[in-house]
Amino acid sequence: SHGKYRVATENTIFAMPETKIGLFPDVGGTWWIPRLKLYRDRQRKGVVGGVGNYLALTGARLKGDDLIYAGIATHFIPSERLNELKLALIDATNNSTQSLGDCVAGVLMSFHDEKVNVDLDKAFLSKNRKEIDQAFDGKQSVEDIVSTLESVKSDSQFAKTTLDTLKQMSPTSLKVTLEALIRGSKVQSIEEALDMEYRMSQAFMRKGSDFYEGIRAALVDKCGEPQWNPSSLEGVTNGFVDKFFDDLGDRELCLSGGSSKL
């Protein structure tokens, strides 16, 4: 999601499933997720909504239309035209007098399938946007998110499904991820966000971390039954979460050129 051009097809599947393995959306996720500008809201200043928090916490799998809706993909191109696109890009970069970026943009737009814009109202995120924003937008704790979903689950299949999904995730990862997104929304550069993520990654590497347990359950034993510790949201205290952001002293990454401690 950091690249200038991001192409999706009808076969594209995108997800950030880190909370299911006891980790967090890294590689700059704490920078771009809080700044996600949805397709329908790009002209409305300051509108972000709850989609970013929803995706980061639940690991929801998105298809091409959702990626366009969320602004994660910039162009939708049918998979049957990808080889044609590759040849057109090669030809354009070999023969154009324009800058590389300008020439690529023109080619991509000539292949972009405008029909997907008409169908965005059918995208999963679009159909569930109201409930996503209600549960995830502006929430300062995972407990608040769960409470909101619980309050509407009798009338909402989306709420029921989302609650079931959140119950599978590492409680530690859920709380640390939400705190990271809140802090990430306040940093001034991606370098600051990466400095913060490095601190978090080092904490997740500690012996006994949920990350080890998540990998065991998903990739080693493949049992799909991780034993999280703590096993509940209530067991993950604010003090415990704060330790994931502790200064590393002389082991700081310092990409931002100084202290970016939040």
Side-chain angles (χ1 to χ4, degrees):
S1 295
H2 301 296
K4 185 175 182 179
Y5 306 114
R6 305 177 297 276
V7 175
T9 77
E10 74 279 6
N11 298 323
T12 301
I13 298 292
F14 173 94
M16 297 176 291
E18 287 87 351
T19 57
K20 195 170 184 178
I21 58 168
L23 197 59
F24 66 97
D26 54 353
V27 199
T30 61
W31 169 255
W32 69 264
I33 295 172
R35 293 165 176 81
L36 201 60
K37 289 291 283 184
L38 304 191
Y39 182 86
R40 296 298 193 195
D41 300 326
R42 287 177 187 169
Q43 304 305 315
R44 298 167 60 195
K45 185 177 181 180
V47 175
V48 177
V51 169
N53 286 348
Y54 167 73
L55 298 178
L57 296 177
T58 66
R61 291 161 62 90
L62 302 183
K63 297 182 180 180
D65 54 353
D66 284 305
L67 294 174
I68 292 291
Y69 177 85
I72 296 172
T74 57
H75 299 80
F76 186 94
I77 298 174
S79 59
E80 63 186 20
R81 300 196 68 194
L82 289 180
N83 190 58
E84 185 183 353
L85 169 64
K86 180 176 75 172
L87 296 176
L89 287 169
I90 293 171
D91 182 64
T93 53
N94 285 339
N95 300 308
S96 177
T97 57
Q98 296 177 299
S99 69
L100 178 60
D102 291 339
C103 125
V104 168
V107 173
L108 288 175
M109 280 309 301
S110 71
F111 280 80
H112 177 62
D113 187 352
E114 294 288 350
K115 293 195 295 295
V116 72
N117 296 341
V118 178
D119 298 333
L120 287 184
D121 287 338
K122 298 179 181 179
F124 174 83
L125 292 178
S126 179
K127 290 189 293 185
N128 294 282
R129 176 72 188 278
K130 182 177 179 181
E131 289 178 282
I132 289 172
D133 283 351
Q134 180 183 4
F136 290 88
D137 186 19
K139 294 297 191 292
Q140 299 298 302
S141 73
V142 180
E143 288 88 345
D144 285 346
I145 292 171
V146 170
S147 177
T148 301
L149 292 168
E150 289 281 2
S151 71
V152 299
K153 70 177 182 180
S154 60
D155 300 313
S156 169
Q157 184 58 49
F158 170 82
K160 292 177 185 176
T161 301
T162 304
L163 282 168
D164 288 343
T165 297
L166 291 174
K167 289 175 182 176
Q168 299 175 39
M169 307 307 187
S170 158
T172 297
S173 287
L174 289 175
K175 285 201 168 185
V176 172
T177 294
L178 183 59
E179 178 63 21
L181 295 176
I182 293 171
R183 296 187 186 211
S185 70
K186 300 173 184 176
V187 301
Q188 300 302 307
S189 69
I190 189 173
E191 287 83 4
E192 287 186 51
L194 291 171
D195 281 345
M196 178 180 71
E197 291 180 13
Y198 183 71
R199 298 185 196 106
M200 297 166 64
S201 72
Q202 297 308 288
F204 274 104
M205 294 303 114
R206 294 170 187 156
K207 186 177 181 179
S209 163
D210 271 358
F211 180 51
Y212 289 89
E213 178 61 14
I215 292 299
R216 178 201 65 78
L219 300 178
V220 180
D221 296 340
K222 299 182 180 180
C223 63
E225 297 180 356
Q227 303 300 307
W228 305 126
N229 183 28
S231 60
S232 67
L233 292 173
E234 293 75 19
V236 184
T237 65
N238 290 340
F240 185 71
V241 170
D242 286 341
K243 290 184 181 298
F244 285 79
F245 301 89
D246 280 350
D247 191 283
L248 298 175
D250 59 7
R251 295 191 296 117
E252 281 286 303
L253 192 58
C254 295
L255 287 179
S256 57
S259 175
S260 55
K261 187 77 172 78
L262 292 173

